[in-house]
Amino acid sequence: MSDFETVLFSNDSSYGGISFIVNHIEDSCTILVHSVRKDFDSMIDNKFYYNKNNKLCLDILSKSKRIIVFGAISLNSINLSNYKDKELILVITDSTFLKKNTNINNFLINNRNIKVLIMPDLIPFIDKKIKYKPYFQHIDIDINQQIKKYEELTFSHSPGLKYKSNLKGSKFIEDTLKDQKLIVIHNKTWSECIEIKKKTHIFIDQMIINNEYKYAGGIGKSGLESILLKNILITSAPPLITEPYFDNPPSINIHPKELKTTINKLINNPDKMKEMSQKQYEWAKKYTSLEFVKNNILH
């Protein structure tokens, strides 16, 4: 079968939460350029691999009515200018947008028919001429499950594949929290990561220092997961502005040099920790829900 109304296209299944949303979009399939994360691949029902069956994938794209591209990196493998007769949506979630900022901005300015959704931490880098909506991905976690934390206050940080490159400031985080119980999560499947975050109390998403693109950090997939699992989220970022589309996230956004002081203040105020955890959880429950994210993409 090669007739689908909607095609979700991505470099691989790790971008923009594609694996969590695709099965909920009616009459759709997914085209992945590469297979990188087998655990995310396995979540997708109707999937095709671009590099393995290029002719079939091009046929599926040509017959579709809507193409949703996840990740700016995916533009390396699809020329949206060839599909002007379709509804086109680009979900920008990745550092390729920083690396190829001028080229991608110019492309979007010249192709105003492409609807743009973008992670709030990348909004400062989008050209003011481009219309966009902020985007946080759906996280497929049972929000009604019982969560039991470690008895001892425990921190977690999840650089995943970025651990060796230190892109999330993992070494700084490890050094700053050397006197605390810290679990650094990498070389784990998604389900294993979730099980660890269920038990921790405070999650450090990223602490970006001296980034070459002047990127300061934000809230990624791991951060959203941690909030839904009732961790307090701390990240290095300026305030993330999502209004008027939805409420600004109540994350703790700090400069890395403030990390130790921020942690000590939380440790000394357990009531504040409970209040902050619940406030972040209620926000994420609403704005990463399937209904909200699906509507944000399609309308």
Side-chain angles (χ1 to χ4, degrees):
M1 180 179 179
S2 61
D3 292 350
F4 296 93
E5 180 178 26
T6 300
V7 176
L8 287 77
F9 186 97
S10 184
N11 184 71
D12 63 73
S13 58
S14 68
Y15 287 90
I18 186 172
S19 58
F20 297 137
I21 195 78
V22 61
N23 295 339
H24 302 284
I25 295 179
E26 294 74 16
D27 193 15
S28 73
C29 74
T30 299
I31 295 177
L32 303 174
V33 180
H34 308 286
S35 176
V36 175
R37 289 288 302 266
K38 303 290 186 186
D39 51 347
F40 289 150
D41 288 4
S42 67
M43 298 177 187
I44 302 172
D45 291 340
N46 297 321
K47 59 180 174 287
F48 305 90
Y49 293 98
Y50 192 78
N51 283 347
K52 291 182 180 178
N53 202 333
N54 181 262
K55 186 175 180 181
L56 173 62
C57 290
L58 289 173
D59 185 54
I60 292 171
L61 287 165
S62 69
K63 291 178 179 177
S64 68
K65 295 181 180 178
R66 177 195 289 134
I67 300 173
I68 309 172
V69 176
F70 285 77
I73 191 174
S74 305
L75 295 175
N76 294 336
S77 303
I78 185 170
N79 185 356
L80 291 181
S81 300
N82 294 336
Y83 300 100
K84 291 187 176 179
D85 60 325
K86 308 181 189 307
E87 180 185 357
L88 301 175
I89 302 169
L90 174 63
V91 183
I92 301 174
T93 62
D94 53 311
S95 61
T96 297
F97 183 61
L98 303 175
K99 295 171 185 174
K100 297 185 174 182
N101 192 247
T102 300
N103 288 342
I104 295 175
N105 272 321
N106 287 338
F107 173 75
L108 292 172
I109 290 169
N110 293 325
N111 291 272
R112 301 292 180 95
N113 58 311
I114 299 174
K115 175 183 171 183
V116 176
L117 291 96
I118 184 168
M119 292 279 283
D121 52 315
L122 296 174
I123 288 174
F125 303 92
I126 196 165
D127 193 283
K128 292 180 180 177
K129 300 186 191 74
I130 299 168
K131 291 184 179 180
Y132 66 85
K133 289 199 299 182
Y135 175 81
F136 281 118
Q137 69 179 62
H138 169 56
I139 305 293
D140 191 16
I141 288 176
D142 177 9
I143 59 173
N144 297 312
Q145 64 181 304
Q146 286 204 336
I147 295 173
K148 184 167 177 153
K149 301 291 184 181
Y150 287 118
E151 292 283 336
E152 179 184 359
L153 180 67
T154 306
F155 297 78
S156 55
H157 167 63
S158 183
L161 298 173
K162 299 173 183 174
Y163 180 67
K164 287 186 179 179
S165 63
N166 200 37
L167 286 175
K168 288 191 173 184
S170 302
K171 300 207 171 24
F172 172 82
I173 293 168
E174 288 176 302
D175 184 58
T176 304
L177 274 70
K178 61 181 179 234
D179 296 327
Q180 304 291 340
K181 183 178 177 183
L182 169 67
I183 300 174
V184 179
I185 307 168
H186 59 105
N187 296 327
K188 303 286 185 184
T189 64
W190 180 72
S191 58
E192 289 171 336
C193 294
I194 294 300
E195 288 303 312
I196 293 171
K197 291 174 191 173
K198 279 183 188 177
K199 299 174 183 177
T200 61
H201 304 84
I202 299 176
F203 183 81
I204 315 297
D205 195 340
Q206 44 196 315
M207 287 289 132
I208 308 295
I209 304 170
N210 298 326
N211 181 272
E212 63 178 303
Y213 304 108
K214 297 185 179 178
Y215 172 75
I219 305 174
K221 176 180 70 67
S222 290
L224 296 173
E225 291 167 355
S226 72
I227 296 175
L228 286 171
L229 296 169
K230 298 197 173 179
N231 286 259
I232 294 174
L233 173 66
I234 302 175
T235 187
S236 67
L240 301 176
I241 307 301
T242 56
E243 294 175 342
Y245 300 96
F246 47 98
D247 294 337
N248 294 332
S251 53
I252 299 177
N253 300 348
I254 61 170
H255 188 279
K257 68 182 180 183
E258 301 170 318
L259 180 58
K260 196 161 192 175
T261 303
T262 301
I263 287 169
N264 288 336
K265 285 181 180 178
L266 287 171
I267 291 173
N268 293 326
N269 194 339
D271 289 338
K272 179 70 174 176
M273 284 182 62
K274 287 180 184 177
E275 177 189 336
M276 180 58 68
S277 173
Q278 189 62 30
K279 185 176 181 181
Q280 291 185 355
Y281 170 77
E282 293 296 336
W283 176 88
K285 185 170 72 169
K286 179 176 181 179
Y287 293 115
T288 68
S289 69
L290 174 62
E291 180 182 8
F292 184 88
V293 176
K294 181 179 175 181
N295 184 67
N296 194 31
I297 294 172
L298 298 180
H299 301 292

